[in-house]
Amino acid sequence: MEAIGAPGAGLLVALENLFPPLPSEVILPLAGFTASQGSFTVGGAIFWTTLGSVVGAVVLYWIGAALGRRRLRVVVDRMPLVDLHDLDRTEAWFERHGKGAVFFGRMIPVFRSLISVPAGIERMSFAVFVLLTTAGSLIWNTVFVLAGYHLGENWHLAEQYAGIFSRIVVVTVAALLGWWVLKRMLRNRRGLSDAARREQGRP
C-alpha cells in the first residue's frame, strides 16, 4: 500500500468491482492505516478509493447497457426454472426501487458490484446512477478508511467484522435462492402433473 499510494488503492477498488475476490473490506482499512503512517492523507485515500468505486461501477453499468433488455430476455427464456414473467416482475421492482437499490447496494457485500449491471440494462439515467453510486460508495469507503486510520496496527479488525457481515449476507442470499429454487421445482412438478391429468381426460 505504501508503494502504490492512494491512487493505487483506488485502482484496486475499481478492480474489485470486476473481480470480487479483491475485497474492499481489506483494501480500505489498509489504506486508512497507511494514511495514519503519513504515506498519504486520509482525505486522499477516501477520494481515490471512491473514485475507483465509481469507475468500476460505471464499467459494469455499460456492460449491462451493452447487454440490453432484448438480449437479456433471450438468455432468460433459455434458462431452466426461470421464465419471462420473473424477469418482468424484477424489472417492475427495479423501476420502483432502482434508485434505492443502487444507493444502498453500494454498501452491501456481493450486491455492491452486481447492482450496476441491472442499472445499465434498465438504462437508468447515467447522471443519477453516478450520483447515487458516488454517495453510497463515499459512505462505505469513508467508514472503512477511517476505521483503519483510527485502529492503526489493528486495522485488520475492521476486515474481520466486515467479513462476518459478508458471510451473513452470503448465507442469507443462498438460503433465499435455495427456497426459491425448491418452490419453483415444486410448482413445475405440479404443472406437469396437471398437464398429464388433462391429457388423460381426468379432472
Side-chain angles (χ1 to χ4, degrees):
M1 189 62 68
E2 290 178 352
I4 63 177
L11 176 60
L12 289 177
V13 172
L15 292 175
E16 183 246 353
N17 284 267
L18 306 174
F19 306 101
L22 288 171
S24 65
E25 293 89 342
V26 174
I27 300 169
L28 297 172
L30 181 56
F33 166 64
T34 308
S36 72
Q37 303 302 300
S39 298
F40 43 80
T41 66
V42 67
I46 294 172
F47 170 80
W48 284 105
T49 55
T50 301
L51 179 61
S53 296
V54 174
V55 169
V58 165
V59 171
L60 290 176
Y61 173 93
W62 287 116
I63 288 175
L67 175 62
R69 295 180 70 251
R70 184 178 62 82
R71 291 190 182 93
L72 179 63
R73 294 183 75 83
V74 172
V75 172
V76 169
D77 195 39
R78 296 176 179 176
M79 293 176 64
L81 302 179
V82 183
D83 53 42
L84 293 177
H85 178 63
D86 296 319
L87 179 59
D88 292 336
R89 290 198 305 175
T90 302
E91 289 180 334
W93 181 90
F94 194 86
E95 186 176 347
R96 295 192 303 271
H97 307 289
K99 293 179 181 178
V102 169
F103 175 72
F104 291 107
R106 298 303 306 173
M107 295 176 271
I108 301 176
V110 180
F111 293 99
R112 186 165 55 249
S113 300
L114 298 178
I115 195 61
S116 302
V117 177
I121 292 174
E122 296 299 321
R123 289 302 181 100
M124 171 184 283
S125 165
F126 184 68
V128 172
F129 172 78
V130 171
L131 178 62
L132 294 172
T133 297
T134 301
S137 299
L138 180 62
I139 294 172
W140 176 265
N141 293 353
T142 299
V143 168
F144 278 91
V145 168
L146 290 180
Y149 184 85
H150 291 293
L151 287 171
E153 294 184 356
N154 293 317
W155 64 269
H156 55 87
L157 293 176
E159 185 272 333
Q160 291 178 6
Y161 286 111
I164 294 173
F165 179 46
S166 297
R167 286 191 288 273
I168 291 174
V169 171
V170 170
V171 169
T172 301
V173 171
L176 291 173
L177 181 61
W179 173 82
W180 181 86
V181 170
L182 178 62
K183 182 179 178 181
R184 184 53 53 88
M185 291 177 65
L186 292 174
R187 191 198 72 173
N188 291 350
R189 183 176 298 178
R190 285 196 299 268
L192 290 174
S193 298
D194 292 342
R197 283 196 297 269
R198 284 195 297 269
E199 288 180 1
Q200 296 173 4
R202 290 183 296 174

